[in-house]
């Protein structure tokens, strides 16, 4: 997966937007103001920070050297994934899981609004 593919995939989710609150080099992908992915798309190797359920985060880190505790994030809830070292399908699933976790944490009215969009 290349940087432009990562960006397009993240922006393909319902109500997803890209923002740059940490400077122009770091893309932050949000849904209704809540971050679900963060990446310096020009960095080599390409990495992305993704939200993850705590128990699954520990399991993924143990099984995959390309998944480590989230860099500059709450290490209990975030992983940093080195994109090119995992199958593209797995990276897409991890991004989707991150998006779904963030959406699940939104107030019910906002979740319902997303369902109608």
């Amino acid at each position: 997966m290349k940087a432009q593919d990562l960006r397009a995939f993240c922006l393909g989710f319902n109500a997803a937007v890209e923002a740059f609150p940490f400077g122009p080099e770091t893309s932050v992908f949000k849904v209704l103001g809540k971050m679900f992915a963060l990446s310096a798309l020009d960095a080599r190797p390409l990495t992305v920070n993704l939200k993850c359920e705590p128990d699954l985060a520990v399991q993924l880190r143990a099984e995959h050297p390309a998944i480590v505790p989230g860099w500059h994030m709450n290490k209990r809830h975030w992983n940093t994934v080195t994109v090119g070292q995992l199958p593209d399908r797995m990276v897409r699933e991890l991004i989707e899981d991150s998006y779904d976790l963030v959406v699940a944490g939104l107030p019910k009215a906002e979740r319902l609004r997303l369902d109608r969009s």
Side-chain angles (χ1 to χ4, degrees), residues 1 3 6 26-27 29 37-50 66 68 71 79-85 91 95:
M1 178 179 286
L6 175 69
T26 305
S27 294
F29 299 96
L38 173 128
S39 180
L41 295 174
D42 291 335
R44 297 296 169 258
L46 177 61
T47 63
V48 60
N49 284 6
L50 300 170
V68 297
W71 188 68
N79 282 334
T80 296
V81 176
T82 302
V83 175
Q85 295 180 12
V91 174
I95 295 169

Side-chain angles (χ1 to χ4, degrees), residues 4 18 29 46 81 103 108 115:
Q4 65 266 26
E18 181 178 23
F29 299 96
L46 177 61
V81 176
V103 168
K108 185 176 182 181
D115 289 342

Side-chain angles (χ1 to χ4, degrees), residues 49-104:
N49 284 6
L50 300 170
K51 192 160 189 166
C52 190
E53 292 179 11
D55 292 337
L56 180 58
V58 171
Q59 178 184 343
L60 288 168
R61 293 172 197 160
E63 294 173 2
H64 304 280
I67 302 176
V68 297
W71 188 68
H72 283 295
M73 307 294 282
N74 179 328
K75 309 232 183 297
R76 179 171 152 79
H77 296 278
W78 289 85
N79 282 334
T80 296
V81 176
T82 302
V83 175
Q85 295 180 12
L86 295 170
D88 288 355
R89 179 176 177 215
M90 182 178 186
V91 174
R92 286 191 297 270
E93 289 171 356
L94 293 170
I95 295 169
E96 186 174 1
D97 288 349
S98 181
Y99 174 87
D100 290 344
L101 273 173
V102 172
V103 168

Side-chain angles (χ1 to χ4, degrees), residues 28-37 78 102-103 105-107 110:
V28 176
F29 299 96
K30 297 180 176 186
V31 55
L32 300 181
K34 300 292 184 179
M35 180 170 55
F36 68 92
W78 289 85
V102 172
V103 168
L106 293 171
E110 290 183 354

